[in-house]
Amino acid sequence: MIDNLFASRGSSREIEEGTTFAPKFDEAGLIACVVTDIGTGEVLMVAHMNAQAIQRTVATGEAWFYSRSRGALWKKGETSGHVLRLKEMRVDCDQDVLWIKVELVGPGACHTGRRSCFYRAVVHSAPDAPMMLEFRDAEHSFDPAAVYGASKE
Amino acid sequence: MIDNLFASRGSSREIEEGTTFAPKFDEAGLIACVVTDIGTGEVLMVAHMNAQAIQRTVATGEAWFYSRSRGALWKKGETSGHVLRLKEMRVDCDQDVLWIKVELVGPGACHTGRRSCFYRAVVHSAPDAPMMLEFRDAEHSFDPAAVYGASKE
């Protein structure tokens, strides 16, 4: 039944210029999904979807993903309440990456307690020095211990 | 020499809350990189970097990637001239995804001749119907045949 939702992969031209949705899942059945905030445009997180996660996301209007580490389907916000309301789902030219624009319900998308998972910039002071990270937009928007307890969404 | 640029992976706490850059490369030595336009915030493309691509991107201020299909390092814009000027590189909480904010030099980042690779939205008219694609922001900003000729960047 879920297989009927997607088309099989056709020619490059069909994939790039057609209106048939033929996502390219990797050998684990997953496709990467970039999540941006529809208001600010910032990248909130990147996660993976399988066929079922795509189906549930589109059907329910809230983002579902597949956790590689836990080997399980999960709804973003199932523990925290910080769900991601789907505003638009896009796919790229070769249909191997998804981009969803969402409205973040609640203070943050990152399990560390920040709004976005991308709270550090890569900086490089000298060619022979190690690259380092610098915190940016890294203030906590919620207390992860209070929200998640021992679980990690 | 290039290995000195990155730290080895430490504890979760070090990875998530530290200032040490310890990117998690996959078994092929790659890490996904989301590219957004610093002006508009739109996602232009998603590609992969290896260690050398990260090093060159940071050293030169222009984006380099690693092509899985061609098995080669490549500079975005080497054929088209549409280079991506690096404004900031971010990494996510578990350091397995990069996000670069860039200034796009030239009319488009997509080899199909569009500004962004994400020129189609996923739409679903009925639960038992296949998901389809709808063109959005899909006007051509350049002629790919004239820019690339027979090559595909």
Side-chain angles (χ1 to χ4, degrees):
Chain A
M1 163 98 179
I2 202 168
D3 292 336
N4 298 341
L5 295 176
F6 313 115
S8 52
R9 302 276 290 175
S11 67
S12 280
R13 172 137 197 102
E14 287 167 336
I15 291 168
E16 293 179 356
E17 299 294 339
T19 55
T20 295
F21 185 39
K24 185 177 180 182
F25 296 104
D26 68 13
E27 55 285 351
L30 304 177
I31 186 169
C33 178
V34 179
V35 181
T36 64
D37 183 300
I38 188 127
T40 65
E42 73 194 308
V43 179
L44 295 174
M45 57 185 284
V46 174
H48 288 83
M49 290 186 175
N50 62 1
Q52 199 169 16
I54 296 175
Q55 185 271 325
R56 288 202 190 180
T57 298
V58 171
T60 66
E62 295 186 332
W64 285 75
F65 300 102
Y66 186 87
S67 166
R68 294 178 295 178
S69 57
R70 286 175 288 153
L73 202 68
W74 62 289
K75 180 185 167 183
K76 175 66 191 165
E78 62 193 350
T79 303
S80 64
H82 306 162
V83 301
L84 304 173
R85 284 198 190 127
L86 180 68
K87 295 302 175 182
E88 186 178 46
M89 180 183 284
R90 297 258 185 134
V91 67
D92 75 340
C93 46
D94 50 1
Q95 301 199 35
D96 65 355
V97 181
L98 298 173
W99 167 22
I100 59 172
K101 303 178 191 179
V102 304
E103 179 197 339
L104 167 62
V105 177
C110 184
H111 76 281
T112 66
R114 290 148 176 127
R115 185 168 170 79
S116 159
C117 294
F118 293 86
Y119 49 84
R120 289 170 299 181
V122 177
V123 293
H124 201 204
S125 56
D128 53 353
M131 294 182 179
M132 299 297 289
L133 301 180
E134 194 173 277
F135 283 81
R136 290 191 196 160
D137 306 317
E139 59 285 356
H140 283 77
S141 56
F142 66 96
D143 175 3
V147 168
Y148 294 112
S151 81
K152 175 176 162 177
E153 187 170 281
Chain B
M1 162 98 177
I2 202 168
D3 292 336
N4 298 341
L5 295 176
F6 313 115
S8 51
R9 302 275 291 176
S11 67
S12 280
R13 172 138 197 104
E14 288 167 336
I15 289 167
E16 293 179 354
E17 299 294 338
T19 55
T20 296
F21 185 39
K24 185 178 180 182
F25 296 104
D26 67 15
E27 56 285 351
L30 303 178
I31 186 169
C33 178
V34 179
V35 181
T36 63
D37 184 300
I38 188 127
T40 65
E42 71 193 309
V43 179
L44 295 174
M45 57 186 282
V46 174
H48 288 83
M49 290 186 174
N50 62 2
Q52 200 170 15
I54 296 176
Q55 185 271 327
R56 288 201 190 180
T57 298
V58 171
T60 67
E62 295 185 332
W64 285 75
F65 301 102
Y66 185 87
S67 166
R68 293 178 295 176
S69 56
R70 286 175 288 153
L73 203 68
W74 62 290
K75 180 186 167 183
K76 175 65 191 165
E78 63 192 350
T79 302
S80 63
H82 306 162
V83 300
L84 304 173
R85 283 199 191 126
L86 180 69
K87 295 302 174 182
E88 187 177 45
M89 179 182 284
R90 298 258 185 135
V91 68
D92 75 340
C93 46
D94 51 1
Q95 301 201 33
D96 64 356
V97 181
L98 298 173
W99 168 22
I100 60 172
K101 303 178 190 179
V102 305
E103 178 196 341
L104 168 62
V105 177
C110 184
H111 75 281
T112 66
R114 290 152 176 122
R115 186 168 169 79
S116 159
C117 293
F118 293 86
Y119 49 84
R120 289 170 299 180
V122 177
V123 292
H124 201 203
S125 56
D128 53 355
M131 293 182 179
M132 298 297 290
L133 301 180
E134 193 173 277
F135 283 82
R136 290 190 196 159
D137 307 317
E139 59 285 357
H140 283 78
S141 56
F142 66 96
D143 175 3
V147 167
Y148 294 112
S151 81
K152 176 176 162 177
E153 187 171 281

